[in-house]
Amino acid sequence: MTIGAYEAPNCTCTPVGTLPCGITIASTHPLAAKQFVTCADLAAFPAGESHVYDSFNDSILTTFKKRGLVTNISHISTATEALAHIMLKQGYYFSVVISQLTKPKLTTVLRPIDPAEDPRIPICFVTRNDRAGARHRVVQNFLLHAMGLVSN
């Protein structure tokens, strides 16, 4: 399973649904009081990007970068930098929004992107072509049904 499309030789990527995007920020962040955040809101704060520490973040961030919606980016390479990015530098990380994840934590909150600006991110089932078979089709069909239940 991937958040965003996945391309690799000898693999098939099948979108099974989409989810809305949001940002994870410190509960003390200036945007924490907003119901939704816009791309204009995000311009004043750095997005976290980490190819080593958090590849989950890359697919959402890549989508926003390709569309020219995010240009203020901090490159993160350690867990300490990741924590400082949110807690000290008023940065954010992109996330998908699933209702179960929107409950506030002690130190962070998840705020959805304004639906008018949200590109929605595909959730994909990835299989190696040499492993695809009846079992994979059963899992794929299950995921297609399950995504219909959790998609917002």
Side-chain angles (χ1 to χ4, degrees):
M1 295 299 298
T2 62
I3 306 291
Y6 178 80
E7 293 182 23
N10 301 316
C11 287
T12 299
C13 178
T14 305
V16 294
T18 63
L19 289 171
C21 299
I23 59 166
T24 299
I25 52 177
S27 56
T28 57
H29 194 284
L31 299 177
K34 296 188 76 155
Q35 180 181 5
F36 297 106
V37 295
T38 65
C39 292
D41 293 333
L42 298 180
F45 305 100
E49 177 176 43
S50 175
H51 296 290
V52 175
Y53 180 69
D54 184 10
S55 62
F56 168 80
N57 185 45
D58 292 341
S59 62
I60 300 170
L61 179 59
T62 299
T63 298
F64 275 77
K65 286 176 12 181
K66 284 180 182 175
R67 295 178 182 197
L69 301 174
V70 173
T71 56
N72 187 358
I73 298 168
S74 290
H75 300 281
I76 311 296
S77 57
T78 67
T80 302
E81 289 175 356
L83 184 61
H85 176 72
I86 287 185
M87 299 313 230
L88 302 175
K89 298 179 181 178
Q90 293 188 329
Y92 64 91
Y93 293 103
F94 281 106
S95 178
V96 292
V97 177
I98 300 173
S99 59
Q100 293 85 343
L101 300 178
T102 59
K103 295 177 180 75
K105 310 295 183 275
L106 290 176
T107 57
T108 62
V109 295
L110 176 62
R111 291 294 173 253
I113 301 295
D114 184 323
E117 297 181 355
D118 185 357
R120 296 188 66 97
I121 298 298
I123 305 303
C124 301
F125 179 59
V126 178
T127 55
R128 286 182 12 194
N129 294 340
D130 63 344
R131 296 288 189 119
R135 289 181 185 170
H136 285 87
R137 283 189 294 282
V138 169
V139 172
Q140 182 177 332
N141 289 335
F142 169 78
L143 292 170
L144 287 165
H145 174 73
M147 280 302 298
L149 299 175
V150 298
S151 292
N152 305 46

